[in-house]
Coordinates of all heavy atoms in Angstrom, one line a residue:
A560 N 15.5 51.9 -27.5 CA 15.4 52.1 -26.1 C 16.6 51.4 -25.4 O 17.1 50.4 -25.8 CB 14.1 51.6 -25.6
V561 N 17.0 52.0 -24.3 CA 18.0 51.5 -23.4 C 17.4 51.2 -22.1 O 16.9 52.2 -21.4 CB 19.2 52.4 -23.3 CG1 20.3 51.8 -22.4 CG2 19.8 52.8 -24.7
H562 N 17.3 50.0 -21.7 CA 16.8 49.6 -20.4 C 17.9 49.2 -19.5 O 18.4 48.1 -19.7 CB 15.7 48.5 -20.5 CG 14.5 49.0 -21.3 ND1 14.1 48.5 -22.5 CD2 13.5 49.9 -21.0 CE1 13.0 49.0 -22.9 NE2 12.6 49.9 -22.0
A563 N 18.2 50.0 -18.4 CA 19.3 49.6 -17.6 C 18.8 49.2 -16.2 O 18.3 50.0 -15.4 CB 20.2 50.9 -17.4
Q564 N 19.0 47.9 -15.9 CA 18.5 47.3 -14.6 C 19.8 47.2 -13.7 O 20.7 46.4 -14.0 CB 17.9 46.0 -14.9 CG 17.3 45.3 -13.6 CD 16.3 46.2 -12.9 OE1 16.7 46.9 -11.9 NE2 15.1 46.2 -13.3
A565 N 19.8 47.9 -12.6 CA 20.9 47.8 -11.6 C 20.4 47.6 -10.2 O 21.2 47.6 -9.3 CB 21.7 49.1 -11.7
N566 N 19.1 47.3 -10.1 CA 18.5 47.0 -8.7 C 19.0 45.6 -8.3 O 18.6 44.7 -9.0 CB 17.0 47.1 -8.8 CG 16.3 46.8 -7.4 OD1 17.0 46.4 -6.5 ND2 15.1 47.1 -7.3
P567 N 19.8 45.5 -7.3 CA 20.4 44.2 -6.9 C 19.2 43.2 -6.6 O 19.4 42.0 -6.8 CB 21.2 44.5 -5.7 CG 20.8 45.8 -5.2 CD 20.3 46.6 -6.4
E568 N 18.1 43.6 -6.1 CA 17.0 42.7 -5.8 C 16.4 42.1 -7.1 O 15.8 41.0 -7.0 CB 15.9 43.4 -5.0 CG 16.4 43.8 -3.6 CD 15.2 44.4 -2.8 OE1 14.2 44.7 -3.4 OE2 15.4 44.5 -1.6
K569 N 16.6 42.7 -8.2 CA 16.1 42.3 -9.5 C 17.1 41.5 -10.3 O 16.9 41.3 -11.5 CB 15.5 43.4 -10.3 CG 14.2 44.0 -9.7 CD 13.6 45.0 -10.6 CE 12.4 45.6 -10.0 NZ 11.8 46.6 -10.9
L570 N 18.3 41.3 -9.8 CA 19.4 40.7 -10.5 C 19.8 39.4 -9.9 O 20.8 38.7 -10.3 CB 20.6 41.6 -10.6 CG 20.3 42.9 -11.5 CD1 21.5 43.9 -11.3 CD2 20.1 42.5 -12.9
A571 N 19.1 38.9 -8.8 CA 19.4 37.7 -8.2 C 19.2 36.5 -9.1 O 20.1 35.6 -9.2 CB 18.5 37.5 -6.9
H572 N 18.2 36.5 -9.9 CA 17.9 35.4 -10.8 C 19.0 35.4 -11.9 O 19.5 34.3 -12.3 CB 16.5 35.5 -11.5 CG 16.2 34.4 -12.4 ND1 15.7 33.2 -11.9 CD2 16.3 34.2 -13.7 CE1 15.4 32.4 -12.9 NE2 15.8 33.0 -14.0
A573 N 19.3 36.5 -12.4 CA 20.4 36.6 -13.5 C 21.7 36.1 -12.9 O 22.5 35.5 -13.6 CB 20.5 38.1 -14.0
T574 N 22.0 36.5 -11.7 CA 23.3 36.0 -11.0 C 23.3 34.5 -10.9 O 24.3 33.9 -11.2 CB 23.4 36.7 -9.6 OG1 23.6 38.1 -9.8 CG2 24.6 36.1 -8.9
R575 N 22.2 33.9 -10.5 CA 22.1 32.4 -10.4 C 22.3 31.8 -11.8 O 23.0 30.8 -12.0 CB 20.8 32.0 -9.8 CG 20.7 32.3 -8.4 CD 19.6 31.5 -7.7 NE 18.3 31.8 -8.3 CZ 17.4 32.7 -8.0 NH1 17.8 33.6 -7.0 NH2 16.3 32.9 -8.6

Side-chain angles (χ1 to χ4, degrees):
V561 180
H562 294 114
Q564 182 57 264
N566 182 348
E568 291 186 347
K569 293 185 179 181
L570 294 170
H572 183 84
T574 293
R575 291 195 301 273

